[in-house]
Amino acid sequence: MIAAGQALDSVAHGQALDQALRELPRETETAERAAAQDIAYTACRRLNLLDALAARLLAKPNPALDGLVRAALSELISHPERAHAVVDQAVTATAGIKRGAFKGVVNAVLRRFLREREALLADLTQDEALRLHYPAWWIARLRTAYPEPGVAEGIMASGNQRPPMTLRVNRRRADVEGYLATLAEAGLAAVQTGPDALRLERPMPVARLPGFGAGEISVQDLGAQYAAHLLDVQDGMRVLDACAAPGGKTAHILEAADCELLALDRDAVRLKNVTENLARLGLSARCEAADAAKPADWWDGKPFDRVLLDAPCTASGIIRRHPDGKWLKRATDLGQLATIQRQLLDALWQVLRPGGKLLYATCSVFPEENARQIEAFLSAHANARALAADLPAPYTLGHRNGQLLPDQRHDGFYYALLEKA
Ligand SMILES: C[S@@+](CC[C@H](N)C(=O)[O-])C[C@H]1O[C@@H](n2cnc3c(N)ncnc32)[C@H](O)[C@@H]1O
């Protein structure tokens, strides 16, 4: 619990949660690390409520206890049946802080929460942001974007759940049917959910999955697997993946066709993940660290047949995988990201051949980054037309004009397929 508390403290100081968990002290045991991850992710999904509870229960803020108390409160909310064990665990963890000086405080705070739980939660959750576990600006934007009864609430509820774990089978090394049989032999249940996709009944560490090291499979959400299918890459084509890292979509494209692919990413460290992922899967591409918005720096002047722009965005569609995102992002980020997306679209349109296709993708549910962005692009570019973006039956997913909303099957994504006249 102490490790989960440390990770929550780091998020409060602006660090990403996955990074904070990676940076836990080296001597943290594997099992402790896994437990910390579980507690921290759950707590992060309701962090504003935990902040409000801690403010009520602690007489004054205590930086040494902030993370630990939030982690313990979150566990008490999730597991009322284990209340006493959770309190004991938290109090024991406190022994390591300032030679146990705060043991009494933590014990008193958590026991008070147990006594007053109903009244405290009833009072605090009158505030909608605390009840829904999102910042007020986020709720307001979703309500404006999705005014139909229950839709915005559905998106938010889905964003507070644990995500499904979907695998992509590398067609060059295995097939879905065969891999399902391999999983069944290992006692793991799964169902096919897309042409190359299967969903595990229970999420598990990748290293324990058969064939992962041998490049037979990758972890990739079903919504993300739309990209390679929609882009419709044929053998021999010149393809640009403009924002490629960590390379999930790059790899899927290369598994499907023998094409000449240039993978760009501005972040050289993240780009290394593309190289590593491709090597594991037995694939290759030219990888270059560059700003996709400045073709003069990396383009040889030969037009591309296909361009994938998986643009930087608020990641509001994958918030259940990165719950820190809703607390680290600001309302102003939305406008800034929309400007960057527009610049990328304008720049990359130039490198596409006439008759070629550009797929614009985000993992967002905010229309400012999606439908509004594409409407503006189409009205500014007479040589652009939008094509229907869908998968063949039986894998067609219900989307609204390219907008996939998160549900039990897939995360929230947006796709617009544009053809150049
Ligand atoms: C949504 S992620 C891409 C995910 C990736 N396509 C995949 O499927 O694994 C967006 C990426 O865009 C990169 N990026 C942001 N601005 C960029 C720019 N101007 N040029 C190139 N890459 C950029 C970020 O570093 C980040 O890796």
Side-chain angles (χ1 to χ4, degrees), residues 246-247 270-281 283 285 287:
R270 280 172 62 86
L271 193 68
K272 268 198 197 147
N273 296 327
V274 181
T275 324
E276 285 166 14
N277 278 328
L278 296 185
R280 183 179 61 82
L281 296 163
L283 306 165
C287 297

Side-chain angles (χ1 to χ4, degrees), residues 24 44 49 71 131 230 252 272 380:
L24 285 176
C44 209
L49 176 64
R131 185 169 67 249
L230 295 178
H252 196 191
K272 268 198 197 147

Side-chain angles (χ1 to χ4, degrees), residues 117 240 246 284:
R117 174 193 167 111
L240 172 68
S284 68

Side-chain angles (χ1 to χ4, degrees), residues 241-249 265-267 270 290-293 310-312 344:
D241 186 353
C243 294
K249 299 186 186 74
D265 203 282
R266 202 173 53 175
D267 183 331
R270 280 172 62 86
D291 182 347
D310 190 13
L344 283 164

